[in-house]
Amino acid sequence: MTVAEIFETMEYGPAPESSSLALKWIEERGGDGRLFINNEWRAPSTDEYFDTINPASTRPLARIPQAGSEDVDAAVAAARAAQPGWWEIGGHARARYMYAIARQVQKHSRLFAVMESLDNGKPIRESRDIDIPLVARHFYHHAGWAQLLDSEMPDQVAVGVVGQIIPWNFPLLMLAWKIAPALATGNTVVLKPAEFTSLTALLFAEICEDVGLPPGVVNIITGDGRTGELLVQHHDIDKIAFTGSTEVGRIIRVATAGSGKKLSLELGGKSPFVVFDDADLDSVVEGVVDAIWFNQGQVCCAGSRILAHEGIAEKLTAKLRARMETLRVGDPLDKGVDIGAIIAPVQLEKIQELVKQGTEEGATMWQPSWSCPQEGCFFPPTLFTDVAPSSTVAQVEIFGPVVVLMTFRTPAEAVALANNTRYGLAASVWTESVNLALDIAPRIKAGTVWVNSTNLFDAAAGFGGYRESGFGREGGREGLYEYLKPSWERGQTIQESASFAVQPDKAGRREGPPPIDRTAKLYIGGKQARPDSGYSVQVRDARGALVGEAGRGNRKDIRNAVEAAHKAAGWARQTGHNRAQILYYLAENLAARSDEFARRVGNQQEVELAIQRLYTYAAWADKWDGDVHHTPLRNVTIAMPEAMGVVGICCPDAFPLLGFVSLVMPAIAMGNTVVAAPSERFPLAATDFYQVLDTSDVPGGVINIVTGVRDELAETLAAHDDVDAMWYFGSQEGSATVERLSAGNMKRTWVNYGKGRDWADRQQGEGPEFLRHATHVKNIWVPYGE
Amino acid sequence: MATAINKVQRALRIGHAAHPEEGRNPGMPLDLGWVRDVRVNTSAVERRAATIGTRRTVKKEWQAAWLLRAITCMDLTTLSGDDTPGTVRRMCAKARQPVRHDLLEDLGVAHLPIRVGAVCVYHTLVATAVEALEGSGIPVAAVSTGFPAGLSPFPQRVAEIHASVEAGAREIDIVVTRAHVLTGNWEALYDEVKAFREACGDAHLKAILATGELGTLRNVGRASLVAMMAGADFIKTSTGKENANATLPVSLVMTRAIREYQERTGHKVGFKPAGGIRAAKQSLEWLLLMKEELGSEWLRPDLFRFGASGLLTDIERQLEHHLTGRYSAAHRHPMA
């Protein structure tokens, strides 16, 4: 094209970013990757390599080693050996290393960006302006947390050795999200990048070497799912952090069940993008571009379901179609390209298949008039209208540049549609009304809500899911706890801690007529209920003497209790002050009957502590504040702790009253409703307690009590897909079962692996640890400016 | 090739010969409901504006061609208290031959009429400019209506338009009463611009909104719409005398208003950012914005102008760099 011709047409021309230095980097290393273990570069023990391709051309870029079990062992051993030293050098030294890493990332930013675009296919604009700057930011921010750890989290210690498995959509950024918080908190890591995208991880390993990071602190092993499995199964790993599909996350949940490995999972999504009729529609259109045509739509939190108010849907559709026409798909290294290459042929086929299915199911598909490059893995931006929630394309995570549009009439309907999904990763809400935005944001079940914006990320804000989008947070103060544990846990052993005193004998022999028989019932929806089974279990004291009977709850009782708990969901919308009032009232009424409870549990001290604990959570009910995060954007990022929903709680045998109170009260103080299985051996303190509930204005359904065989009840609760979280304090086997069965709906679990906890001890028996388990943090981004 | 050149010449002729009457925005009755419906989310607009220049770029021949196009969309402007007929004539000479001939030859565009879009001066110098540009086809634009504050008596402002048109100005850059926008008196704003448009007759009206003084982007959006309803041929950001000049976010709001107006009425209105645009790179950003938001039609002088005084020199330097690979100096290019 001549200048004169272009002067007439005013078309765009090619604007390629050079790949020569990145290709030279690969060439200088002989075209083969190495494993980075203990600061040494090793060939894989398997002698196996596989190609990593450039998805824009489908031609190979380099060969990547397939790490085998010897390599995984070596990497974990190196990390294990390095961990105590890495903790002991202290926060300031760790901060210096991490600051150096951040600096190195910036110094080599373009090499990282080009390498990322070559290997992953994302447009150079994104790798250059978004991914790599966020990586540096993540290390800077967490260098700061390393510096502050001692003073900010004095009662916490590193988890230990962390196995980290990351996806291919943001290769280096996900590495940063994983490694930065782990290192800041004194953990050492073994990280496996996705097999499609290992190159920037290897470049990162060189940086670790360059800054003199102690050997073993960061180990990078490459390979496919087999390597990941070896890492997940490794006996000497203390925690697994995974980002990827819900399908694989579920496998990991099952595989690690009962192992005691701490787990954080950031999984799939089908995030709603809600557009109200008072939104700035031109800005909404750009929001959709950033939501679903960012990174080819291969974004776990992509706004892939547009929910538009019926009154503006047609106008929005027209604007979207016009905008799609001006998007540019092509060479990821072209600086004027919006949409690059799909990661691999297999992913492209999956997208094509789902789009075909969407059309076959009757949805209207729209794509721009221009066509994609023939060579390489490309797919055009695609919009589906005439879509119903029942359409496959409205339910399934497509992980491609495909968005569906549905309509709603009212805010309530918008919320219902937004929440009509198994996922809960993110949401966007578009309206010019602050009233509406701040009303809707808390009602959408998602870990991140962006108001009038989308796909904003920052190290200072937590990111993570609700529901089957996983659990745990990355970023912000809330993300650090994924890599920490209470320092007292270091000495924890596998045994039940003891109560204050043995259970009393049945009331001593009396003169005159026998005492009146008492029937302990289940307590469901604020009413006493006989067990569905019609069976009872005998309750014996510590010496084996019969002291009474408790109902043997079964599946149906659990079902009823969960339903009752859901009906009481309004509890979460009560003010903290109101919940506090009720908790104080509970303490007051328990105190009034303390002698009776003392006789039941055999000592006065446990009752006294239970009263104190009620006070503790009454106190916390209106004080478990969120944060306003300092994200580098003109906005307010509100990190809001929210109730989990319905929490199943299996209480320990030790401290039949105090254990029950210590678990149930933090849960309800935060707005959850509870289905509690009290101590199996000594359930009568809990069944006595429902009379206290009755007299203390606790709304029916907020606390439901089902007695019976703990592990039977636990199984039903763990396998219940409408239970949002599950706490289990019982045996090692029971803990494993709960974790395994929780994989059904990926509910968050808290189990004790059969280990004891001193419920009478304030550090172990109450406080922020409990409240963190009782809530998850939602980050609401509210940009502002007129 | 020959047809391509013909097309170019045709396009430029249209550009210079003030677009045909049937294509001119006739305006419409003031629609207050529409005005009040305008939504502008400032932070979202800023985010989009920030990526205009990072999502698109033009390099090599494309950059050279785009910069030449920028020249043809330029209102070469002087609005200083010390302007004299001599300085204006010098500027008009530059307007006729904005780029060194040898550079145009080397770029292979010597056959194209590369001239600026218009010359823009105060009323007093209109006659001088008209004379200096005679035969070039380059129109003279006059800033008017009590420029820059627009606070002189209304009849005087209207008379100023008449005088400038009389003196040969084919384009009138009027300023609006900011108070009408700031107080939400849209009827008054509409009546004012409509009166100015009538006073212009066949001359084209560019409505300067003085966006730096309108307080909010929402006001910018609403004022844009009212000016178009009142019959503005162009809407223009700034006088160059406000504290804040043309910015990309402001321009984005105005171009979106133009698009909406066209979608609803079918009439095309031009856009002119002015003030503070001095670098070639900036001019490319605005061209990118126009192409992205309004399409290539808005990359021609009949629908797009830059108000600029210092921009041309930087573009000349970039064009020379494109040809030689050597960074150029301002003194190598004839001054305006």
Side-chain angles (χ1 to χ4, degrees), chain A residues 391-457:
Chain A
S391 312
T392 303
V393 285
Q395 293 173 35
V396 175
E397 184 179 37
I398 297 173
F399 229 62
V402 183
V403 66
V404 302
L405 187 146
M406 294 179 277
T407 60
F408 64 85
R409 298 161 300 171
T410 61
E413 192 175 46
V415 169
L417 283 165
N419 288 335
N420 186 219
T421 171
R422 294 178 183 204
Y423 297 112
L425 195 51
S428 278
V429 178
W430 294 78
T431 168
E432 288 301 290
S433 159
V434 70
N435 298 308
L436 185 56
L438 296 183
D439 178 32
I440 298 301
R443 288 160 67 188
I444 295 181
K445 295 197 182 300
T448 300
V449 179
W450 293 291
V451 174
N452 292 322
S453 54
T454 194
N455 280 343
L456 300 175
F457 310 103

Side-chain angles (χ1 to χ4, degrees), chain B residues 92-132:
Chain B
C92 290
K94 186 70 177 168
R96 285 169 178 267
Q97 180 61 270
V99 181
R100 259 170 39 207
H101 192 71
D102 60 307
L103 296 182
L104 294 180
E105 293 229 309
D106 292 349
L107 287 164
V109 295
H111 58 291
L112 297 179
I114 304 290
R115 296 166 310 199
V116 302
V119 157
C120 182
V121 293
Y122 272 113
H123 168 75
T124 318
L125 293 152
V126 168
T128 310
V130 168
E131 191 190 331

Side-chain angles (χ1 to χ4, degrees), chain A residues 93-433:
Chain A
R94 291 199 296 275
R96 287 188 179 204
Y97 281 115
M98 296 182 68
Y99 175 78
I101 290 174
R103 284 296 203 197
Q104 290 297 107
V105 167
Q106 284 187 318
K107 287 179 209 168
H108 301 293
S109 59
R110 194 55 59 90
L111 179 59
F112 271 115
V114 172
M115 193 78 77
E116 199 77 306
S117 284
L118 274 176
D119 202 11
N120 163 280
K122 66 174 66 203
I124 185 71
R125 176 190 76 89
E126 293 178 10
S127 53
R128 179 196 65 202
D129 296 350
I130 300 171
D131 289 49
I132 309 303
L134 281 173
V135 169
R137 161 87 181 135
H138 224 80
F139 279 99
Y140 280 125
H141 181 80
H142 284 89
W145 277 122
Q147 178 73 24
L148 299 177
L149 195 70
D150 291 349
S151 57
E152 288 298 297
M153 285 143 189
D155 53 351
Q156 303 282 317
V157 293
V159 169
V161 174
V162 185
Q164 304 181 316
I165 301 171
I166 56 171
W168 45 258
N169 56 346
F170 296 90
L172 191 70
L173 183 56
M174 290 301 102
L175 174 147
W177 281 25
K178 293 283 179 287
I179 289 185
L183 295 196
T185 46
N187 298 275
T188 54
V189 305
V190 179
L191 178 133
K192 187 196 89 67
E195 69 266 34
F196 290 144
T197 52
S198 305
L199 292 176
T200 47
L202 297 177
L203 179 53
F204 178 82
E206 288 193 359
I207 275 182
C208 293
E209 212 179 359
D210 292 344
V211 304
L213 200 66
V217 171
V218 169
N219 304 275
I220 309 281
I221 53 169
T222 54
D224 60 18
R226 290 172 294 168
T227 310
E229 195 181 341
L230 289 167
L231 194 55
V232 167
Q233 300 280 15
H234 201 283
H235 66 91
D236 203 24
I237 291 236
D238 300 304
K239 172 189 166 77
I240 294 288
F242 171 78
T243 297
S245 69
T246 295
E247 185 191 353
V248 175
R250 189 168 276 136
I251 293 168
I252 292 175
R253 170 70 288 182
V254 172
T256 56
S259 67
K261 287 180 183 121
K262 197 167 165 144
L263 192 59
S264 50
L265 300 172
E266 199 267 272
L267 309 175
K270 189 78 182 175
S271 297
F273 187 103
V274 186
V275 185
F276 288 99
D277 59 356
D278 66 343
D280 169 4
L281 290 187
D282 288 313
S283 289
V284 167
V285 168
E286 295 308 321
V288 173
V289 171
D290 288 336
I292 193 68
W293 297 310
F294 171 54
N295 204 24
Q296 297 71 251
Q298 302 167 139
V299 184
C300 47
C301 53
S304 51
R305 285 189 298 145
I306 302 170
L307 304 173
H309 184 265
E310 212 169 313
I312 49 97
E314 207 173 313
K315 189 171 179 187
L316 178 61
T317 304
K319 280 179 180 286
L320 275 172
R321 289 177 175 178
R323 179 70 177 94
M324 289 165 76
E325 201 65 38
T326 66
L327 288 169
R328 303 185 77 227
V329 174
D331 178 10
L333 285 179
D334 191 308
K335 292 175 218 169
V337 147
D338 295 304
I339 303 179
I342 303 294
I343 187 71
V346 58
Q347 182 64 18
L348 181 61
E349 282 157 28
K350 190 189 140 200
I351 296 167
Q352 287 163 337
E353 185 55 37
L354 280 164
V355 167
K356 186 163 154 265
Q357 199 173 340
T359 314
E360 283 167 4
E361 286 177 15
T364 304
M365 188 199 69
W366 200 88
Q367 291 175 338
S369 61
W370 43 261
S371 53
C372 290
Q374 293 304 303
E375 193 199 23
C377 297
F378 293 96
F379 196 82
T382 303
L383 169 67
F384 276 109
T385 48
D386 302 316
V387 173
S390 54
S391 312
T392 303
V393 285
Q395 293 173 35
V396 175
E397 184 179 37
I398 297 173
F399 229 62
V402 183
V403 66
V404 302
L405 187 146
M406 294 179 277
T407 60
F408 64 85
R409 298 161 300 171
T410 61
E413 192 175 46
V415 169
L417 283 165
N419 288 335
N420 186 219
T421 171
R422 294 178 183 204
Y423 297 112
L425 195 51
S428 278
V429 178
W430 294 78
T431 168
E432 288 301 290
S433 159

Side-chain angles (χ1 to χ4, degrees), chain B residues 178-234:
Chain B
R178 278 69 123 180
H180 294 335
V181 179
L182 294 171
T183 58
N185 193 351
W186 307 115
E187 292 92 340
L189 180 67
Y190 178 84
D191 292 344
E192 176 179 81
V193 176
K194 198 169 161 54
F196 290 161
R197 162 77 197 258
E198 277 160 15
C200 282
D202 288 341
H204 282 202
L205 178 140
K206 302 199 200 96
I208 303 174
L209 304 180
T211 55
E213 291 176 351
L214 298 187
T216 69
L217 288 182
R218 197 194 310 244
N219 276 347
V220 170
R222 288 177 173 166
S224 299
L225 198 50
V226 172
M228 289 187 285
M229 287 172 175
D233 296 291
F234 266 73

Side-chain angles (χ1 to χ4, degrees), chain A residues 80 147 150 266 272 397 552 589 601 627 639 685 718:
Chain A
R80 175 61 65 197
Q147 178 73 24
D150 291 349
E266 199 267 272
E397 184 179 37
R552 180 165 181 153
N589 286 325
V601 298
D627 286 317

Side-chain angles (χ1 to χ4, degrees), chain A residues 571 574-589 617-619 621-622 696-698:
Chain A
W571 177 247
Q574 294 231 12
T575 62
H577 173 76
N578 281 350
R579 290 198 294 265
Q581 294 298 297
I582 287 172
L583 285 157
Y584 282 125
Y585 197 18
L586 273 171
E588 180 186 328
N589 286 325
Y617 292 112
D622 63 353
S696 307
D697 298 341
V698 179

